Amino acid sequence: MECIFCDIVTKKASSWMIYQDEYISAFFDYFPASKWHVMIVPNKHYANIFEIPDDILSKISSLSKKISIFYKENLWIENINIIQSNWKDAWQEVFHYHMHLVPRSENDKINFHWDYDENIRDEYDELKEFIANWIK
């Protein structure tokens, strides 16, 4: 299996690594959307949100907060998108779970906009209890 993130974690590929422990790694994105764009990945290969164990997911989430706080306190960046995509139609391009931290600034070239469909709301009432019960 060929995976660039596995290669980065094992140092077979170069990167700008900013954090690594036995479970997760964080490095600057090679194709950044903005200055200081960071990727956080599990060291073990999991393709997506459906495969990654909860404890590893929690470590990634915690590190995303720590890096965000660093950006706020040291780089004065308060606007950050945290993005995680699963499968092709959701824009996942590397099929190794990863989270993007994308610092934002006024008039940057990033556009995350979608046209909403208010008719979808009609289904919320029937689905909300089903989902709530399933989660319990």
Side-chain angles (χ1 to χ4, degrees):
M1 169 183 56
E2 191 77 19
C3 175
I4 187 60
F5 293 160
C6 287
D7 289 347
I8 289 171
V9 165
T10 60
K11 309 226 183 335
K12 292 178 187 168
S14 63
S15 70
W16 296 276
M17 187 73 64
I18 64 169
Y19 178 83
Q20 188 169 49
D21 65 21
E22 63 184 293
Y23 304 105
I24 63 175
S25 298
F27 47 89
F28 290 122
D29 194 308
Y30 191 77
F31 300 103
S34 68
K35 191 173 185 179
W36 315 122
H37 179 167
V38 168
M39 307 289 290
I40 306 174
V41 303
N43 293 343
K44 185 175 176 189
H45 188 92
Y46 304 103
N48 52 48
I49 192 77
F50 306 107
E51 294 181 8
I52 190 167
D54 290 346
D55 63 322
I56 304 299
L57 186 61
S58 178
K59 291 176 189 308
I60 290 171
S61 181
S62 179
L63 183 59
S64 75
K65 182 176 180 180
K66 287 178 184 174
I67 294 169
S68 296
I69 290 169
F70 173 85
Y71 283 177
K72 181 179 179 185
E73 293 179 355
N74 296 280
L75 302 175
W76 306 278
I77 298 170
E78 294 184 322
N79 299 285
I80 299 174
N81 284 115
I82 297 175
I83 304 161
Q84 198 284 309
S85 302
N86 297 280
W87 294 124
K88 183 182 69 157
D89 290 339
W91 305 335
Q92 185 179 9
E93 294 178 358
V94 177
F95 295 95
H96 179 128
Y97 180 94
H98 57 284
M99 179 181 285
H100 296 261
L101 269 70
V102 182
R104 301 296 305 274
S105 62
E106 189 174 4
N107 299 320
D108 63 22
K109 297 176 184 175
I110 302 168
N111 184 7
F112 295 117
H113 175 79
W114 56 81
D115 295 322
Y116 64 91
D117 180 353
E118 63 187 54
N119 295 321
I120 292 172
R121 293 184 215 142
D122 295 340
E123 299 175 29
Y124 284 175
D125 285 333
E126 72 181 65
L127 195 56
K128 72 179 183 185
E129 287 187 42
F130 178 70
I131 291 174
N133 289 330
W134 187 90
I135 290 171
K136 290 179 188 174

